[in-house]
Amino acid sequence: MIPPVAFRLHLDQTKLAREVFERISRRGALLNDRQHLQQRREEAIENFGKPGRDPTELGNVMSTIAGNGVWSTNLKLAQLRNHWDQVVGPGVAAHSAVADFSGGVLTIRAESTVWATQLTYLIPQLTETIHGNLKGLTINEIRVTGPAVGYSRKWARRK
């Protein structure tokens, strides 16, 4: 008679079943996980566009995050820079730009001292327009500066 394989290979018979079935069990768990993932994919496809899965909700979450703290001020300032021509008009916007915003002070840089003087007269109207259109951007003061050294050349390239 031939001795059992476990005896011939010097294997512990109490551990043999566990080793064999452990591999089978792991494989079964892996297949189960794959089936579960496939089921979740199918559910996601079926539920796409249904109430409660609207992608605009992500936009609302991002708006909430952006509305808190420093982001809000930076976003409002970016809006002001991007729509500067709507605040001062295209003619003035061609000769001026928002330079800085720090500590509630908005600094506007003008192409020349003549444009800086013109913008200085417009400060009350600018304040009213900015407060009306960009609620949440607290501007305590508006300063208008003339060109920096070499600044006029930059304006010539911008046109």
Side-chain angles (χ1 to χ4, degrees):
M1 172 159 245
I2 302 174
V5 174
F7 183 75
R8 289 175 55 187
L9 297 176
H10 306 291
L11 298 174
D12 185 1
Q13 289 187 4
T14 58
K15 294 181 182 179
L16 185 61
R18 184 179 53 178
E19 289 176 10
V20 170
F21 289 110
E22 192 173 293
R23 282 186 292 152
I24 294 171
S25 177
R26 272 189 266 141
R27 175 116 171 105
L30 181 63
L31 289 175
N32 190 20
D33 287 346
R34 286 183 186 166
Q35 289 172 349
H36 180 68
L37 287 175
Q38 181 63 27
Q39 183 180 14
R40 287 188 63 195
R41 283 189 200 114
E42 290 171 5
E43 286 176 6
I45 290 170
E46 289 174 15
N47 292 327
F48 182 77
K50 289 184 179 177
R53 296 188 52 93
D54 192 2
T56 58
E57 290 185 27
L58 177 61
N60 291 340
V61 170
M62 294 306 291
S63 295
T64 302
I65 292 170
N68 297 333
V70 179
W71 282 28
S72 175
T73 302
N74 290 334
L75 289 173
K76 296 289 182 184
L77 189 59
Q79 285 179 327
L80 181 62
R81 284 186 172 130
N82 290 336
H83 301 291
W84 182 240
D85 60 334
Q86 295 173 8
V87 175
V88 294
V92 177
H95 302 284
S96 63
V98 175
D100 187 34
F101 180 75
S102 179
V105 178
L106 176 67
T107 304
I108 301 168
R109 184 159 313 245
E111 177 182 66
S112 66
T113 54
V114 174
W115 281 106
T117 304
Q118 289 293 329
L119 281 165
T120 303
Y121 291 125
L122 293 175
I123 286 177
Q125 293 170 337
L126 291 176
T127 305
E128 184 180 323
T129 304
I130 292 169
H131 283 293
N133 294 334
L134 290 174
K135 293 177 178 26
L137 183 64
T138 306
I139 298 175
N140 301 326
E141 181 183 354
I142 297 179
R143 293 182 187 160
V144 179
T145 62
V149 177
Y151 195 68
S152 59
R153 286 189 219 133
K154 290 180 186 176
W155 284 100
R157 279 187 258 145
R158 185 174 146 196
K159 292 179 185 176

